[in-house]
Amino acid sequence: MDGTVGGGAQKADGGLAAALRAARRVVVLTGAGASAESGIPTFRDALTGLWERFDPARLATPEAFEADPGLVWGWYVWRREQIARCRTNPAHDAVTRLQRAVRARGGTVTVVTQNVDDLHERAGAEDVVHLHGAIAASRCSVCGAPAESEAAPETRAASDTAGPEIRTGGARIAPPACPVCGGPVRPSVVWFGEALPRGEWLRAEAAAARADLLLSVGTSSTVYPAAELPHTAARAGARIVQVNPSPTGLESIVRDDVRARAGAALPGLID
Ligand code: BV8
């Protein structure tokens, strides 16, 4: 393990700043922790309201939606409303500045996120790879036709009347019916047990396989196949940098372990 640098880093080679300035093929892999300082709870945080007795990984499954579409759809309506009220945080803004700086010197930065929010895009990042889909989009769970994400008026009324509960997380809301086949509409995210979008995965994997630096930000490195990407980059000889206040399963391949919150640490690393 290399030396340590300030800011709560567990270990980092003094050359981290130089490496970030010299890198030309960068992958930034973000997880729920990158949006935590925007007020979006991570998957490890306890859920609230009706869902507090559920493990998010148990809610984010086709089986849960099949068993109780209103419970799962209500959770996503609540999360969408939460995300719509949030703003980007300094971590998202720093990632965008890094992408612009590396591009200005002829390099590439591929932002690969496990998050289903749009905060990287709202911060100005381009060509973001969404491994797990986007919460803002919906599709029919039966025929796959794209569908409106807004709950249908009758069910929307239910959530409006349920106002405070939905704000604190706690209402079942019947999903809209598909305008094509009448099937229940679902969020266009990748649930546990579902394959990642092939094109997105191939883009992420190819970027990791040619990276000279991979920055892992705010992910517990427990969800696969996304968690495989730092290992793919390390095998390609990339420098692995981690920004996370807690240890993850990644330390053995991490050269610079910045043990800090992303919004606090990334601006100082990038600028
Ligand atoms: C699949 C969308 C196969 C929904 C999500 C090996 C290989 C392949 C698959 C598997 C495998 N082993 C197990 C599997 C199955 C499974 C899996 O990985 N399970 C885990 C739990 C063991 N994987 C799958 O099911 C994947 N599909 O493999 O399909 C297949 C192939 C062909 C055909 C059919 C099937 C699909 C996985 C995608 C699941 N969907 N999201 C939604 O969001 O509602 S994943 C979901 O979890 C989110 O995307 C979230 O991002 C992710 C959790 O990971 P993190 O982002 O890391 O979040 P977490 O809360 O865990 O950690 C937050 C971290 O932030 C912490 O470390 C914390 O310390 C840190 N933090 C907190 N605050 C801050 C901070 N860091 C910085 N700053 C802060 N301020």
Side-chain angles (χ1 to χ4, degrees):
M1 290 200 190
D2 300 301
T4 61
V5 293
Q10 290 308 103
K11 65 179 168 99
D13 177 325
L16 173 55
L20 280 164
R21 278 196 302 276
R24 299 182 64 81
R25 296 182 309 282
V26 178
V27 171
V28 179
L29 173 66
T30 62
S35 295
E37 287 152 276
S38 294
I40 298 176
T42 68
F43 263 58
R44 301 156 72 98
D45 295 331
L47 284 175
T48 64
L50 182 61
W51 303 290
E52 62 190 353
R53 61 181 184 278
F54 289 98
D55 167 1
R58 276 190 49 224
L59 274 174
T61 65
E63 294 76 17
F65 184 72
E66 175 98 28
D68 193 339
L71 177 79
V72 176
W73 181 259
W75 180 46
Y76 279 89
V77 169
W78 174 65
R79 286 175 66 194
R80 279 194 190 114
E81 294 193 349
Q82 204 177 41
I83 290 168
R85 289 197 302 273
C86 287
R87 286 200 301 272
T88 60
N89 73 61
H92 300 109
D93 300 332
V95 167
T96 300
R97 289 199 300 277
L98 176 67
Q99 187 178 55
R100 288 176 182 160
V102 175
R103 281 182 171 181
R105 58 173 184 259
T108 58
V109 173
T110 306
V111 181
V112 179
T113 189
Q114 301 170 83
N115 300 336
V116 294
D117 63 55
D118 62 343
L119 294 180
H120 279 302
E121 288 85 350
R122 280 199 244 159
E126 296 181 343
D127 310 325
V128 177
V129 179
H130 279 271
L131 292 180
H132 298 157
I135 197 169
S138 298
R139 66 170 191 269
C140 176
S141 60
V142 175
C143 73
E148 285 303 311
S149 291
E150 277 307 305
E154 61 284 3
T155 48
R156 185 75 203 154
S159 75
D160 287 346
T161 49
E165 294 72 55
I166 196 68
R167 294 250 175 266
T168 58
R172 280 185 168 76
I173 299 178
C178 167
V180 174
C181 76
V185 168
R186 57 163 286 178
S188 290
V189 298
V190 179
W191 279 331
F192 288 97
E194 294 185 323
L196 276 56
R198 183 166 168 70
E200 298 293 86
W201 174 248
L202 291 176
R203 270 184 66 203
E205 203 177 36
R210 56 188 292 275
D212 53 17
L213 189 144
L214 181 139
L215 187 56
S216 175
V217 180
T219 178
S220 59
S221 292
T222 52
V223 175
Y224 286 84
E228 193 52 44
L229 292 171
H231 299 278
T232 303
R235 283 193 294 273
R239 184 180 187 123
I240 309 301
V241 184
Q242 175 170 257
V243 179
N244 193 321
S246 310
T248 68
L250 211 55
E251 280 70 34
S252 62
I253 62 168
V254 168
R255 179 153 169 200
D256 311 282
D257 192 5
V258 182
R259 200 61 59 85
R261 292 179 297 112
L266 271 187
L269 284 182
I270 303 290
D271 298 335

